[in-house]
């Protein structure tokens, strides 16, 4: 139990621990956003694109 207490003390009181906590949260949110974007793209695959539409995974080359 002491190891768990030491880990949480390091995570919230040490500067490097707080940086790891923040970076871990950013990476977790990025992964969740990418997964949700892919599921939304699969669900609405027959949506006709307009000039105002944009996508994170835009496969159309308009060059």
């Amino acid at each position: 139990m002491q190891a768990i207490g030491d880990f949480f003390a390091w995570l919230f009181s040490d500067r490097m621990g707080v940086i790891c906590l923040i970076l871990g949260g950013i990476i977790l949110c990025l992964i969740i956003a990418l997964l949700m974007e892919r599921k939304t793209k699969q669900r609405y695959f027959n949506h006709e694109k307009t000039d105002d539409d944009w996508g994170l995974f835009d496969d159309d080359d308009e060059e």
Side-chain angles (χ1 to χ4, degrees), residues 32-47 57:
I32 291 170
L34 289 173
L35 290 174
M36 291 176 69
E37 175 70 22
R38 286 186 187 261
K39 285 189 176 195
T40 302
K41 186 176 180 181
Q42 288 174 355
R43 179 173 290 169
Y44 299 108
F45 64 93
N46 58 355
H47 172 73
F57 303 107

mmCIF file of all heavy atoms in Angstrom, residues 32-47 57:
data_model
loop_
_atom_site.group_PDB
_atom_site.id
_atom_site.type_symbol
_atom_site.label_atom_id
_atom_site.label_comp_id
_atom_site.label_asym_id
_atom_site.label_seq_id
_atom_site.Cartn_x
_atom_site.Cartn_y
_atom_site.Cartn_z
ATOM 1 N N ILE A 32 -9.775 9.167 -27.653
ATOM 2 C CA ILE A 32 -11.237 9.095 -27.614
ATOM 3 C C ILE A 32 -11.842 9.880 -28.769
ATOM 4 O O ILE A 32 -12.775 9.418 -29.431
ATOM 5 C CB ILE A 32 -11.762 9.591 -26.258
ATOM 6 C CG1 ILE A 32 -11.382 8.595 -25.154
ATOM 7 C CG2 ILE A 32 -13.273 9.803 -26.280
ATOM 8 C CD1 ILE A 32 -11.646 9.103 -23.751
ATOM 9 N N ALA A 33 -11.316 11.060 -29.054
ATOM 10 C CA ALA A 33 -11.840 11.881 -30.151
ATOM 11 C C ALA A 33 -11.648 11.200 -31.499
ATOM 12 O O ALA A 33 -12.539 11.223 -32.355
ATOM 13 C CB ALA A 33 -11.169 13.246 -30.152
ATOM 14 N N LEU A 34 -10.492 10.583 -31.715
ATOM 15 C CA LEU A 34 -10.240 9.894 -32.980
ATOM 16 C C LEU A 34 -11.173 8.699 -33.156
ATOM 17 O O LEU A 34 -11.703 8.470 -34.248
ATOM 18 C CB LEU A 34 -8.790 9.441 -33.059
ATOM 19 C CG LEU A 34 -7.759 10.549 -33.232
ATOM 20 C CD1 LEU A 34 -6.350 9.993 -33.118
ATOM 21 C CD2 LEU A 34 -7.950 11.260 -34.552
ATOM 22 N N LEU A 35 -11.380 7.931 -32.086
ATOM 23 C CA LEU A 35 -12.299 6.794 -32.174
ATOM 24 C C LEU A 35 -13.735 7.243 -32.449
ATOM 25 O O LEU A 35 -14.443 6.633 -33.254
ATOM 26 C CB LEU A 35 -12.240 5.971 -30.887
ATOM 27 C CG LEU A 35 -10.955 5.186 -30.661
ATOM 28 C CD1 LEU A 35 -10.974 4.533 -29.289
ATOM 29 C CD2 LEU A 35 -10.756 4.161 -31.746
ATOM 30 N N MET A 36 -14.166 8.306 -31.802
ATOM 31 C CA MET A 36 -15.531 8.807 -32.022
ATOM 32 C C MET A 36 -15.697 9.351 -33.436
ATOM 33 O O MET A 36 -16.756 9.183 -34.043
ATOM 34 C CB MET A 36 -15.871 9.864 -30.976
ATOM 35 C CG MET A 36 -16.020 9.278 -29.593
ATOM 36 S SD MET A 36 -16.313 10.514 -28.338
ATOM 37 C CE MET A 36 -17.952 11.038 -28.776
ATOM 38 N N GLU A 37 -14.668 9.994 -33.967
ATOM 39 C CA GLU A 37 -14.730 10.516 -35.336
ATOM 40 C C GLU A 37 -14.853 9.376 -36.337
ATOM 41 O O GLU A 37 -15.637 9.445 -37.281
ATOM 42 C CB GLU A 37 -13.495 11.355 -35.631
ATOM 43 C CG GLU A 37 -13.403 11.849 -37.057
ATOM 44 C CD GLU A 37 -14.427 12.899 -37.412
ATOM 45 O OE1 GLU A 37 -14.951 13.564 -36.508
ATOM 46 O OE2 GLU A 37 -14.726 13.044 -38.618
ATOM 47 N N ARG A 38 -14.108 8.318 -36.133
ATOM 48 C CA ARG A 38 -14.183 7.170 -37.040
ATOM 49 C C ARG A 38 -15.555 6.501 -36.981
ATOM 50 O O ARG A 38 -16.110 6.126 -38.009
ATOM 51 C CB ARG A 38 -13.105 6.158 -36.716
ATOM 52 C CG ARG A 38 -11.742 6.604 -37.142
ATOM 53 C CD ARG A 38 -10.738 5.505 -36.918
ATOM 54 N NE ARG A 38 -9.399 5.968 -37.178
ATOM 55 C CZ ARG A 38 -8.760 5.741 -38.309
ATOM 56 N NH1 ARG A 38 -9.317 5.063 -39.258
ATOM 57 N NH2 ARG A 38 -7.533 6.195 -38.476
ATOM 58 N N LYS A 39 -16.115 6.349 -35.785
ATOM 59 C CA LYS A 39 -17.442 5.733 -35.663
ATOM 60 C C LYS A 39 -18.513 6.612 -36.301
ATOM 61 O O LYS A 39 -19.441 6.113 -36.932
ATOM 62 C CB LYS A 39 -17.775 5.481 -34.197
ATOM 63 C CG LYS A 39 -17.041 4.312 -33.631
ATOM 64 C CD LYS A 39 -17.548 3.959 -32.259
ATOM 65 C CE LYS A 39 -16.849 2.724 -31.777
ATOM 66 N NZ LYS A 39 -17.508 2.129 -30.636
ATOM 67 N N THR A 40 -18.376 7.926 -36.151
ATOM 68 C CA THR A 40 -19.338 8.834 -36.770
ATOM 69 C C THR A 40 -19.232 8.762 -38.283
ATOM 70 O O THR A 40 -20.248 8.772 -38.987
ATOM 71 C CB THR A 40 -19.083 10.277 -36.289
ATOM 72 O OG1 THR A 40 -19.171 10.315 -34.869
ATOM 73 C CG2 THR A 40 -20.094 11.231 -36.881
ATOM 74 N N LYS A 41 -18.026 8.670 -38.806
ATOM 75 C CA LYS A 41 -17.838 8.573 -40.258
ATOM 76 C C LYS A 41 -18.432 7.276 -40.796
ATOM 77 O O LYS A 41 -19.028 7.259 -41.872
ATOM 78 C CB LYS A 41 -16.350 8.649 -40.591
ATOM 79 C CG LYS A 41 -16.080 8.704 -42.068
ATOM 80 C CD LYS A 41 -14.607 8.878 -42.344
ATOM 81 C CE LYS A 41 -14.370 8.924 -43.828
ATOM 82 N NZ LYS A 41 -12.963 9.072 -44.162
ATOM 83 N N GLN A 42 -18.302 6.182 -40.042
ATOM 84 C CA GLN A 42 -18.884 4.912 -40.465
ATOM 85 C C GLN A 42 -20.408 4.959 -40.415
ATOM 86 O O GLN A 42 -21.089 4.391 -41.266
ATOM 87 C CB GLN A 42 -18.385 3.773 -39.575
ATOM 88 C CG GLN A 42 -16.949 3.412 -39.806
ATOM 89 C CD GLN A 42 -16.453 2.379 -38.813
ATOM 90 O OE1 GLN A 42 -17.160 2.006 -37.889
ATOM 91 N NE2 GLN A 42 -15.229 1.930 -39.002
ATOM 92 N N ARG A 43 -20.971 5.636 -39.428
ATOM 93 C CA ARG A 43 -22.418 5.679 -39.269
ATOM 94 C C ARG A 43 -23.072 6.540 -40.356
ATOM 95 O O ARG A 43 -24.125 6.212 -40.867
ATOM 96 C CB ARG A 43 -22.777 6.231 -37.892
ATOM 97 C CG ARG A 43 -24.288 6.305 -37.687
ATOM 98 C CD ARG A 43 -24.629 6.688 -36.288
ATOM 99 N NE ARG A 43 -24.294 5.565 -35.420
ATOM 100 C CZ ARG A 43 -24.270 5.640 -34.110
ATOM 101 N NH1 ARG A 43 -24.531 6.786 -33.521
ATOM 102 N NH2 ARG A 43 -23.975 4.597 -33.395
ATOM 103 N N TYR A 44 -22.453 7.664 -40.696
ATOM 104 C CA TYR A 44 -23.038 8.600 -41.667
ATOM 105 C C TYR A 44 -22.249 8.571 -42.973
ATOM 106 O O TYR A 44 -21.885 9.605 -43.526
ATOM 107 C CB TYR A 44 -23.065 10.010 -41.081
ATOM 108 C CG TYR A 44 -23.896 10.096 -39.825
ATOM 109 C CD1 TYR A 44 -23.306 10.262 -38.591
ATOM 110 C CD2 TYR A 44 -25.279 9.979 -39.888
ATOM 111 C CE1 TYR A 44 -24.062 10.322 -37.441
ATOM 112 C CE2 TYR A 44 -26.043 10.036 -38.745
ATOM 113 C CZ TYR A 44 -25.426 10.211 -37.525
ATOM 114 O OH TYR A 44 -26.189 10.267 -36.390
ATOM 115 N N PHE A 45 -22.006 7.394 -43.515
ATOM 116 C CA PHE A 45 -21.203 7.256 -44.725
ATOM 117 C C PHE A 45 -21.925 7.771 -45.962
ATOM 118 O O PHE A 45 -21.296 8.118 -46.935
ATOM 119 C CB PHE A 45 -20.792 5.799 -44.931
ATOM 120 C CG PHE A 45 -21.956 4.870 -45.166
ATOM 121 C CD1 PHE A 45 -22.371 4.587 -46.439
ATOM 122 C CD2 PHE A 45 -22.625 4.293 -44.096
ATOM 123 C CE1 PHE A 45 -23.434 3.728 -46.660
ATOM 124 C CE2 PHE A 45 -23.688 3.438 -44.307
ATOM 125 C CZ PHE A 45 -24.102 3.153 -45.589
ATOM 126 N N ASN A 46 -23.253 7.835 -45.963
ATOM 127 C CA ASN A 46 -23.991 8.244 -47.155
ATOM 128 C C ASN A 46 -24.374 9.729 -47.130
ATOM 129 O O ASN A 46 -25.191 10.164 -47.921
ATOM 130 C CB ASN A 46 -25.246 7.388 -47.328
ATOM 131 C CG ASN A 46 -26.167 7.472 -46.129
ATOM 132 O OD1 ASN A 46 -25.832 8.093 -45.138
ATOM 133 N ND2 ASN A 46 -27.323 6.844 -46.230
ATOM 134 N N HIS A 47 -23.774 10.496 -46.249
ATOM 135 C CA HIS A 47 -24.041 11.928 -46.156
ATOM 136 C C HIS A 47 -23.412 12.651 -47.347
ATOM 137 O O HIS A 47 -22.231 12.510 -47.607
ATOM 138 C CB HIS A 47 -23.453 12.472 -44.843
ATOM 139 C CG HIS A 47 -23.505 13.955 -44.711
ATOM 140 N ND1 HIS A 47 -24.671 14.619 -44.465
ATOM 141 C CD2 HIS A 47 -22.546 14.882 -44.784
ATOM 142 C CE1 HIS A 47 -24.410 15.919 -44.387
ATOM 143 N NE2 HIS A 47 -23.120 16.092 -44.576
ATOM 144 N N PHE A 57 -10.673 13.183 -41.333
ATOM 145 C CA PHE A 57 -10.127 12.156 -42.190
ATOM 146 C C PHE A 57 -10.634 12.353 -43.606
ATOM 147 O O PHE A 57 -11.216 11.478 -44.206
ATOM 148 C CB PHE A 57 -10.524 10.755 -41.692
ATOM 149 C CG PHE A 57 -10.086 10.500 -40.280
ATOM 150 C CD1 PHE A 57 -11.012 10.478 -39.266
ATOM 151 C CD2 PHE A 57 -8.775 10.291 -39.989
ATOM 152 C CE1 PHE A 57 -10.627 10.232 -37.972
ATOM 153 C CE2 PHE A 57 -8.357 10.052 -38.706
ATOM 154 C CZ PHE A 57 -9.284 10.021 -37.690
#
